[in-house]
Amino acid sequence: EKETVAKVKDYTALGTPIHDSIIVDAAWNSVQKDMEYQGILYKTNSRIFHMGPLANGTNNIGEFLAIVHALGYCKKHSLEKMPIYSDSRNAIGWVKAKKCKTNLEVSATTQHIHDLIIRAENWLKDNTYKNKVLKWETKAWGENPADFGRK
């Protein structure tokens, strides 16, 4: 008889998040059917930007827009070495691909979201950045400090 042992991941290997960083998060409100996002400076826990609520946006779109917003903020303020954390693997991948791979259909009620996506994609195509975009490791570090607390 074979005994199975549940493997516990060693989160200490992930270390701790970089203190001098920007952390972004998005939230979708299931009641209002809208999305918002924000970015905070981790070392001071102070909000540096907030957008929304935006009708008909999705959480992944918000995460994507938040990362690009943070990249633009860093470029504007000469913070090219400051890492940016997001807890969304999808959004991080979309930023690296310079393409928001959403399935949100274009309509009169979503055009404003698509305009923001196009603007963000164009920013990614037209600008270079040195900032590392990193995954916030929630299981190791706890909830993302930019979280809206709606879970």
Side-chain angles (χ1 to χ4, degrees):
E1 197 175 324
K2 217 177 192 181
E3 191 177 331
T4 57
V5 178
K7 289 190 176 182
V8 177
K9 185 166 178 167
D10 179 14
Y11 292 114
T12 58
L14 294 171
T16 57
I18 298 164
H19 201 62
D20 197 11
S21 62
I22 293 174
I23 305 173
V24 300
D25 201 27
W28 188 74
N29 185 325
S30 60
V31 177
Q32 308 290 41
K33 306 286 189 225
D34 58 25
M35 169 272 292
E36 62 186 314
Y37 69 80
Q38 65 184 352
I40 66 155
L41 284 174
Y42 185 43
K43 68 180 174 183
T44 61
N45 201 35
S46 55
R47 183 191 278 178
I48 53 173
F49 61 81
H50 176 261
M51 281 288 288
L54 302 166
N56 302 309
T58 68
N59 200 61
N60 279 330
I61 292 169
E63 296 274 358
F64 171 78
L65 294 173
I67 295 169
V68 178
H69 196 139
L71 289 168
Y73 178 92
C74 288
K75 186 152 193 122
K76 182 179 178 181
H77 297 281
S78 301
L79 300 170
E80 58 277 336
K81 292 186 178 171
M82 185 168 286
I84 297 163
Y85 284 100
S86 168
D87 57 15
S88 171
R89 286 190 201 287
N90 285 340
I92 293 168
W94 293 355
V95 168
K96 287 182 180 171
K98 301 181 183 193
K99 184 79 179 151
C100 181
K101 297 179 183 174
T102 181
N103 295 324
L104 185 69
E105 292 188 21
V106 179
S107 70
T109 59
T110 62
Q111 187 60 55
H112 63 290
I113 297 288
H114 282 281
D115 290 346
L116 290 172
I117 291 169
I118 291 164
R119 184 177 169 199
E121 289 174 344
N122 286 340
W123 190 94
L124 289 169
K125 289 171 190 154
D126 296 343
N127 290 274
T128 58
Y129 60 89
K130 294 179 182 174
N131 307 78
K132 289 182 181 176
V133 179
L134 305 170
K135 172 76 171 71
W136 180 266
E137 299 292 350
T138 306
K139 288 181 181 170
W141 304 331
E143 195 54 70
N144 172 338
D147 185 73
F148 286 87
R150 293 195 191 139
K151 290 181 182 69

